[in-house]
Amino acid sequence: MQLQLSQAIFRRRLIRAIALPIVLLLLLSGISIWQITRLLFALQLVNHTNQVIAQANRTQKLLLDMETGVRGIYSRKSRIFWSLTSRLMSSLNPV
């Protein structure tokens, strides 16, 4: 009787000693995978933000060049500025 009881206690402790680390490992793995997916999603948002800022900077530069062209047209009455302005107008792509 005592032997069976000690074997049962040993078996329970053995299962606990093996199962607990495995369960904790699986839990930590799940949390790590969840955090990695959130990090990748945040990285995608940052990349999109960088693309939007780059496009806004490009548009601002083109608008400044167009403004310079219009000033040249009004101040010098030159056809050179007409071609510059029309080329810049065609490079602006509406979204």
Side-chain angles (χ1 to χ4, degrees), residues 37-72:
T37 55
R38 285 182 46 99
L39 210 94
L40 290 174
F41 179 71
L43 182 65
Q44 289 174 349
L45 291 178
V46 169
N47 285 338
H48 176 69
T49 302
N50 288 339
Q51 291 172 356
V52 169
I53 290 171
Q55 182 65 32
N57 288 336
R58 180 177 173 269
T59 304
Q60 183 180 17
K61 180 190 174 299
L62 289 174
L63 288 174
L64 180 64
D65 290 345
M66 284 177 53
E67 181 183 344
T68 303
V70 170
R71 284 184 185 171

Side-chain angles (χ1 to χ4, degrees), residues 1 4 6 10 19-20 41 48-49 52-54 58 60 66 74 76-77 80 86 90-91:
M1 181 74 173
Q4 290 177 347
S6 65
F10 176 74
L20 185 63
F41 179 71
H48 176 69
T49 302
V52 169
I53 290 171
R58 180 177 173 269
Q60 183 180 17
M66 284 177 53
Y74 285 130
R76 299 186 188 224
K77 310 281 192 245
I80 296 171
S86 64
S90 66
S91 68

Side-chain angles (χ1 to χ4, degrees), residues 1-16:
M1 181 74 173
Q2 183 70 10
L3 184 63
Q4 290 177 347
L5 186 61
S6 65
Q7 284 180 348
I9 291 172
F10 176 74
R11 201 172 306 144
R12 223 177 317 148
R13 286 184 182 174
L14 183 63
I15 289 173
R16 197 178 309 152

Side-chain angles (χ1 to χ4, degrees), residues 11-29:
R11 201 172 306 144
R12 223 177 317 148
R13 286 184 182 174
L14 183 63
I15 289 173
R16 197 178 309 152
I18 292 173
L20 185 63
I22 291 174
V23 169
L24 289 176
L25 182 66
L26 290 174
L27 180 69
L28 288 175
S29 298

